Amino acid sequence: DSGVTQTPKHLITATGQRVTLRCSPRSGDLSVYWYQQSLDQGLQFLIQYYNGEERAKGNILERFSAQQFPDLHSELNLSSLELGDSALYFCASSVDGDYTDTQYFGPGTRLTVL
Amino acid sequence: GQQLNQSPQSMFIQEGEDVSMNCTSSSIFNTWLWYKQDPGEGPVLLIALYKAGELTSNGRLTAQFGITRKDSFLNISASIPSDVGIYFCAGPKGAGSYQLTFGKGTKLSVIP
């Protein structure tokens, strides 16, 4: 158990819909990262937050957005869903977001878009 | 952009055998990370390497940071069934970057 929690574990929805994935970082970690894992693209970095502020952006689509709240939990919002958005979405956290920090991954949310 | 190429893509080995896998890049990396992902779980960091030529062990696992900074190797000795999983190499996208680039992984199967 990494100490990072993600809900829900599974999510099945239809194209065009909007979903919210939630992540609670490890106690004391200020930085949260979101990754997408699909069979063809592998693990892709989406976005990073540090203490409530966006710090780095990766391959995140405009239809996706995220935020980190004052209690440090984070949400990833996916809208206008397409079949190709079906993937595992992981949240990771680290102490202060430095690139040498160890990132601890949550168990992931499996999103299926039908 | 920076890409990490892992090989082999998959391997089947007998329990007790040693395993070797590697990761290469056309770009220089200043940090190499090796993660393992069990089915249904998130990746777990196994070993972190920060200096060219560095050789680091974690139990039966040994990883090396290549001298050219463009490759890294992971060896597992005396494999056991719980070594099954996908092994990923990863590194920061650029100097001082917070973004990790991951390889596509090596899927390891251990035959008892």
Side-chain angles (χ1 to χ4, degrees), chain B residues 33-51:
Chain B
L33 307 170
W34 284 93
Y35 282 84
K36 182 193 178 200
Q37 186 176 18
D38 290 329
E41 303 288 332
V44 173
L45 182 66
L46 299 173
I47 293 180
L49 303 159
Y50 299 109
K51 211 163 34 168

Side-chain angles (χ1 to χ4, degrees), chain B residues 88-110:
Chain B
F88 293 97
C89 61
K93 197 173 177 181
S97 172
Y98 307 106
Q99 299 184 40
L100 286 183
T101 297
F102 281 81
K104 292 283 177 73
T106 292
K107 186 174 182 180
L108 178 65
S109 300
V110 178

Side-chain angles (χ1 to χ4, degrees), chain A residues 6-58:
Chain A
Q6 288 187 249
T7 56
K9 195 159 175 62
H10 300 278
L11 199 49
I12 301 174
T13 188
T15 54
Q17 295 297 305
R18 183 180 195 277
V19 297
T20 298
L21 313 184
R22 185 189 165 102
C23 167
S24 292
R26 293 186 325 151
S27 176
D29 284 0
L30 297 178
S31 199
V32 166
Y33 311 75
W34 285 98
Y35 292 86
Q36 180 193 58
Q37 185 176 40
S38 60
L39 279 173
D40 54 344
Q41 293 294 323
L43 260 166
Q44 300 276 317
F45 169 78
L46 295 178
I47 197 164
Q48 179 200 4
Y49 280 83
Y50 173 74
N51 205 19
E53 300 289 325
E54 181 185 305
R55 176 168 269 187
K57 219 167 187 173

Side-chain angles (χ1 to χ4, degrees), chain B residues 8-9 13 17 20-22 33 36 39 45 56 63 67 90 99 105:
Chain B
Q9 272 189 304
I13 60 166
E17 284 184 351
S20 189
M21 59 190 78
N22 73 344
L33 307 170
K36 182 193 178 200
L45 182 66
T56 298
I67 297 277
Q99 299 184 40

